[in-house]
Structure formats: structure tokens, C-alpha cells
């Protein structure tokens, strides 16, 4: 019997699609939802399922930003064969995304036993939700919003890319929350920070999903729940991306800070009263 039913996969797909790119932690919300549905959150196949359905959300980014991605890949390809074109910003940016992905891949492979084990505890999620909120609030206070997407540098990409490690090690911190906050601290405007977060997340999240696919299928999750969860994640994530880009153009991230603190405190309460098992 599959560790996750088709009905549960639909719910988890919605949660993944809504939260993957909002700075609220998709991993944290998935673990909380799994716990409330009685799913064993530290089961290897369940951890793998969560990573695989992220591919649906990533596919939504590929579709939504298709023109941008084609532009970057085209500039990268032209620059490879023509030295004179290597000074174009799009060519450089494509390389920066590649290099900025290396640190999280290395840490992810080295720390996988911890990530799948002790660091997957809901206690860690609760603490990370609140700790990440503090970082986001500080970023909003420090941000000067002076630089646009065209002002992004190699250093920006590496620093923001490395910040993804926080979310990898501390589920609940939020990958998008960490990357957007870091970009804001480096004085990028909110839209540029959000778009940079999307682009930097593409390689790492896609790679993680494909890497975990064998575990999800081979250790207890059926093909049907995986397919359903991934498709639902794609549809919901596409709508979430469109909404977020409109929201950040006119609003701060303070609403997300408050929301994360409330969810973190509620989670602490549920764990303390044994309503949820860590």
C-alpha cells in the first residue's frame, strides 16, 4: 500500500504549490500537513515525495518565465561559441546561476542523513519558522531598494545562492524567504529580489526532485499519488507566482513575517500538547 493516498497527494500538491515560492517555507507546511493527516513525516519515501512534487512547482517557473529562461540560455549558448558576446549581462547571469547552485548541492549531499533525520523534526520546523521571520524583518529594515535586476552581480548571486543552505538545513526557514531576504540586504528592490530567488531555485530544486524520484517510487509511494501531487503542484504554483510578483511590487514582506510567527507558535503548541508527533 502507498504511504500516501491520491487524496492526500492532492492536498499536499496544493500546499506545495501555494507555499513553494512564498517566503513561508513549503517544507515546513508540508511536514505540518503530513503530521495532521497522520503521515509519518520522517519516512524516507514521504521525504522523497515532498522533493519530487517540487518539480511541479519548478515546471510552473519554467512556463511562467519561459521567455526569460530562453533569453538566458540563448545568451549563454552564444557566449560559449563567441568570445565577444561574453560581456553581455545575460551570459554572465546564466553562469552565475550555475556557480551559485554548487554550494547547496555540496551541502545537500554531505548533510543528507541529517536533513532526512534529526533536522526533519517538527520542533526544528517551528523554531525555523520563527527564526526565519526575524531574518526577514531585519532584511526589511536594512533594505534600500536601490538596485534592479540589471544591477545583479556575481557576488550577489553567490551570496544569495548560498543563503539557500539555511532552508536546506533548517526546514521551516524557507528557501525563498532566505534568498529574498539576502537580496534585500544587498539593496536589490523587491521585484528583483523575488525574480532572482526564482531563477536561483530552478537548478537546485529540479535536481533535488529528480534525485529523490527513485526513493519515492521504490520505497512506498505509488506512481499515481506522485503524478497527481506533481500536477496539482504545477497548477497551484503557477497562480502563486503570478500573485506574488504583483504583491511584492506594492507591498512589504511584513505580512509573511507575522504569518510565520503565528504558525510557528501554533506548531509549538500542537507539539507541546502532543496533538502532533515531532
Amino acid at each position: 500500500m502507498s504511504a500516501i493516498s491520491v487524496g492526500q497527494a492532492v492536498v499536499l500538491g496544493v500546499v506545495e504549490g501555494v507555499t513553494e515560492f512564498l517566503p513561508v517555507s513549503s517544507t515546513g507546511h508540508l511536514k505540518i500537513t503530513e503530521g495532521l493527516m497522520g503521515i509519518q513525516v520522517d519516512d524516507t519515501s514521504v521525504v522523497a515525495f515532498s522533493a519530487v512534487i517540487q518539480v511541479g512547482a519548478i515546471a510552473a517557473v519554467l512556463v511562467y518565465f519561459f521567455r526569460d529562461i530562453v533569453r538566458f540560455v540563448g545568451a549563454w549558448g552564444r557566449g560559449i561559441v563567441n568570445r565577444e558576446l561574453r560581456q553581455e549581462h545575460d551570459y554572465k547571469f546564466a553562469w552565475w546561476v550555475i556557480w551559485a547552485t554548487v554550494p547547496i548541492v555540496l551541502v545537500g549531499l554531505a548533510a543528507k542523513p541529517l536533513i532526512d533525520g534529526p533536522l526533519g523534526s517538527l520542533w526544528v520546523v517551528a523554531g525555523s519558522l520563527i527564526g526565519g521571520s526575524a531574518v526577514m524583518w531585519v532584511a526589511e529594515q536594512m533594505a534600500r531598494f536601490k538596485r534592479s535586476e540589471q544591477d545583479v552581480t556575481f557576488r550577489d548571486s553567490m551570496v544569495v545562492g548560498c543563503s539557500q543552505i539555511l532552508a536546506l538545513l533548517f526546514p521551516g526557514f524557507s528557501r525563498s524567504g532566505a534568498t529574498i531576504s539576502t537580496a534585500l540586504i544587498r539593496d536589490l528592490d523587491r521585484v528583483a529580489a523575488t525574480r532572482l530567488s526564482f531563477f536561483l531555485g530552478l537548478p537546485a530544486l529540479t535536481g533535488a526532485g529528480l534525485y529523490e524520484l527513485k526513493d519515492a517510487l521504490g520505497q512506498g509511494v505509488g506512481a499515481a499519488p506522485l503524478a497527481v501531487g506533481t500536477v496539482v503542484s504545477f497548477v497551484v504554483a503557477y497562480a502563486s507566482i503570478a500573485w506574488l510578483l504583483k504583491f511584492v511590487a506594492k507591498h512589504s514582506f511584513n505580512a509573511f513575517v507575522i504569518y510565520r510567527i503565528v504558525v510557528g507558535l501554533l506548531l509549538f503548541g500542537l507539539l507541546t500538547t502532543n496533538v502532533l508527533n515531532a
Side-chain angles (χ1 to χ4, degrees):
M1 183 179 292
S2 175
I4 295 175
S5 69
V6 171
Q8 290 171 330
V10 171
V11 175
L12 294 174
V14 171
V15 172
E16 165 63 25
V18 170
T19 61
E20 179 60 55
F21 302 110
L22 300 184
V24 297
S25 175
S26 62
T27 303
H29 279 72
L30 283 172
K31 286 184 178 294
I32 293 170
T33 306
E34 290 162 359
L36 290 172
M37 291 194 297
I39 299 171
Q40 189 175 342
V41 297
D42 60 350
D43 184 288
T44 304
S45 62
V46 174
V47 174
F49 173 87
S50 299
V52 171
I53 64 172
Q54 286 179 336
V55 175
I58 290 299
V61 175
L62 291 173
V63 173
Y64 194 91
F65 293 107
F66 181 74
R67 291 183 180 179
D68 294 290
I69 294 169
V70 168
R71 191 179 82 242
F72 293 138
V73 173
W76 183 80
R78 290 190 298 272
I80 290 292
V81 298
N82 188 336
R83 184 184 297 272
E84 294 180 359
L85 299 178
R86 295 178 187 175
Q87 297 306 309
E88 292 184 1
H89 186 270
D90 287 348
Y91 170 80
K92 294 179 180 179
F93 184 76
W95 271 116
W96 297 343
V97 170
I98 294 171
W99 285 115
T101 303
V102 173
I104 191 173
V105 171
L106 295 177
V107 173
L109 292 174
K112 193 174 189 303
L114 287 174
I115 296 167
D116 292 346
L119 292 178
S121 166
L122 288 178
W123 288 108
V124 176
V125 172
S128 299
L129 278 166
I130 295 174
S133 298
V135 173
M136 290 176 61
W137 183 83
V138 169
E140 278 284 349
Q141 309 314 305
M142 294 178 63
R144 296 296 177 267
F145 315 113
K146 297 187 298 185
R147 302 163 60 215
S148 69
E149 190 173 331
Q150 286 301 310
D151 299 316
V152 171
T153 64
F154 173 70
R155 190 171 186 176
D156 292 326
S157 301
M158 290 302 297
V159 172
V160 175
C162 285
S163 71
Q164 296 178 106
I165 295 172
L166 288 170
L168 182 67
L169 296 178
F170 304 106
F173 201 97
S174 170
R175 188 202 62 81
S176 58
T179 51
I180 292 172
S181 295
T182 305
L184 291 179
I185 290 172
R186 294 193 62 80
D187 289 337
L188 292 176
D189 64 50
R190 290 194 183 94
V191 174
T194 304
R195 283 172 58 88
L196 180 60
S197 174
F198 284 133
F199 295 136
L200 288 177
L202 280 172
L205 294 177
T206 302
L210 296 177
Y211 180 82
E212 296 283 4
L213 180 59
K214 65 182 187 304
D215 290 333
L217 287 173
Q219 298 186 32
V221 177
L226 270 176
V228 169
T230 303
V231 171
V232 171
S233 172
F234 168 81
V235 174
V236 178
Y238 190 92
S240 179
I241 293 167
W243 177 84
L244 180 61
L245 287 172
K246 291 180 181 179
F247 178 85
V248 299
K250 298 180 180 179
H251 302 86
S252 75
F253 290 101
N254 289 335
F256 295 114
V257 172
I258 296 170
Y259 171 80
R260 290 167 56 101
I261 292 173
V262 171
V263 172
L265 292 175
L266 284 174
L267 182 53
F268 271 127
L270 292 173
L271 290 170
T272 302
T273 56
N274 293 318
V275 173
L276 280 180
N277 188 317

